[in-house]
Amino acid sequence: MTNRDNSLTQEERQGLYRTIVTRRDVRSQFVSDPIADDALARLLVAAHWAPSVGFMQPWSFILVQDMAIRAQVKDAFEKASAEAALMFEGERRDQYKTLKLEGILDAPLNLCITCDRDRDGPVVLGRTHIPTMDLYSTVCAVQNLWLAARAEGLGVGWVSILDESRLKTILGLPEKIVPVAYLCIGHVDHFLDAPELEAVGWRKRLPIEELVSIDSLNGERAISPSFLEALRQAQKQAEHGTLGRTEA
Ligand SMILES: Cc1cc2nc3c(=O)[nH]c(=O)nc-3n(C[C@H](O)[C@H](O)[C@H](O)COP(=O)(O)O)c2cc1C
């Protein structure tokens, strides 16, 4: 196989895909070992290297170390999660109550990634017509950090079952700062093979071919049989953790 100057080596490419398909949302497998400063620094810089609208870089990173603050976040989670349980009915509600949906006090570190909607003034290149682009940019930073963490053998869990205004008060965030992601980070004793919600039967991963269309969302034109097969093969590889691997 030729390796053009702008492509990764086969090993690098496989490493990237392996990181993507083995990344997990972690809440039950944290161990208490501290995170080394250099690894944490790499995670934060990886996040900072994310794309952003107009190169706005709207993110900030709050390392939440104080256990008293974390206890307040945990309380906020408990309250929101009790409210959330009531939004489901019957067996779904019973199952919801059995799920562990946060690792706030188990993980050695919590991290809030925020978005400063005013970072580059009111008119931002690229954000002129869709104002939420700065929030999307911040989510790109979250994903960069999540993948970098997986590459370092660190687990990340995203806690979103929180009243946003309560979280802002706990962290002392001003009006224009949005807490985009509240994350729990730490070493893990293992990474699950599949999403926990899939393993417990909450929801399955959708087949990729149902999510791809041509020209419009419900496009008339069918995907070619060969591309359809390629999509299925790639999804199968991802399920086996071998996405991007080519047979020797
Ligand atoms: C925006 C966002 C918010 C999430 N919030 C929570 C949460 O509050 N609690 C939780 O247990 N998982 C949360 N998750 C994790 C998802 O449940 C998880 O990504 C999904 O089940 C797929 O599993 P995987 O990440 O291990 O592949 C969140 C994920 C995202 C992207």
Side-chain angles (χ1 to χ4, degrees):
M1 195 183 109
T2 56
N3 183 28
R4 295 192 196 95
D5 286 340
N6 60 0
S7 62
L8 303 180
T9 65
Q10 181 68 352
E11 200 181 349
E12 289 167 335
R13 201 169 71 95
Q14 278 179 20
L16 177 66
Y17 284 125
R18 198 162 104 75
T19 305
I20 290 170
V21 298
T22 62
R23 179 212 52 77
R24 288 275 75 82
D25 184 89
V26 174
R27 40 277 185 180
S28 303
Q29 294 83 30
F30 287 115
V31 294
S32 58
D33 311 14
I35 303 168
D37 280 351
D38 59 330
L40 180 59
R42 286 192 291 274
L43 260 53
L44 295 173
V45 169
H48 186 37
W49 248 244
S52 60
V53 67
F55 201 30
M56 186 184 174
Q57 306 160 70
W59 40 73
S60 294
F61 305 97
I62 306 173
L63 305 174
V64 186
Q65 295 169 335
D66 186 335
M67 291 307 283
I69 297 177
R70 285 163 57 173
Q72 289 182 56
V73 177
K74 171 90 176 184
D75 279 352
F77 165 82
E78 296 292 359
K79 184 168 181 298
S81 193
E83 290 166 2
L86 299 177
M87 296 176 197
F88 298 97
E89 288 179 3
E91 280 178 22
R92 210 69 171 156
R93 182 183 297 174
D94 295 340
Q95 192 181 16
Y96 177 90
K97 288 181 184 166
T98 67
L99 300 172
K100 177 155 167 60
L101 298 172
E102 53 73 41
I104 298 165
L105 301 179
D106 313 322
L109 180 69
N110 290 187
L111 169 72
C112 185
I113 304 188
T114 60
C115 177
D116 179 354
R117 312 213 63 189
D118 277 347
R119 173 94 15 116
D120 191 23
V123 184
V124 175
L125 186 157
R127 197 189 58 170
T128 46
H129 291 73
I130 305 181
T132 40
M133 286 296 162
D134 49 3
L135 298 171
Y136 305 157
S137 303
T138 307
V139 175
C140 291
V142 177
Q143 180 70 346
N144 265 15
L145 180 133
W146 211 336
L147 292 173
R150 179 62 189 89
E152 299 277 357
L154 289 161
V156 172
W158 189 325
V159 186
S160 58
I161 306 161
L162 293 166
D163 178 78
E164 192 182 270
S165 61
R166 177 79 192 114
L167 181 62
K168 287 180 74 164
T169 303
I170 295 169
L171 298 177
L173 302 183
E175 173 62 24
K176 283 287 189 164
I177 307 291
V178 178
V180 169
Y182 191 89
L183 305 172
C184 305
I185 306 181
H187 290 282
V188 294
D189 54 22
H190 64 286
F191 286 95
L192 296 174
D193 287 339
E196 210 167 336
L197 291 185
E198 188 174 36
V200 300
W202 184 267
R203 191 159 164 79
K204 289 195 177 100
R205 191 180 299 281
L206 302 172
I208 182 70
E209 71 254 33
E210 289 178 11
L211 309 174
V212 179
S213 62
I214 298 178
D215 295 336
S216 69
L217 194 54
N218 298 310
E220 298 277 291
R221 283 185 60 199
I223 296 173
S224 73
S226 59
F227 183 46
L228 196 61
E229 185 51 27
L231 286 172
R232 288 182 181 149
Q233 280 303 324
Q235 177 144 350
K236 215 174 272 174
Q237 279 195 323
E239 278 159 4
H240 293 108
T242 60
L243 184 64
R245 204 175 291 175
T246 48
E247 302 311 326

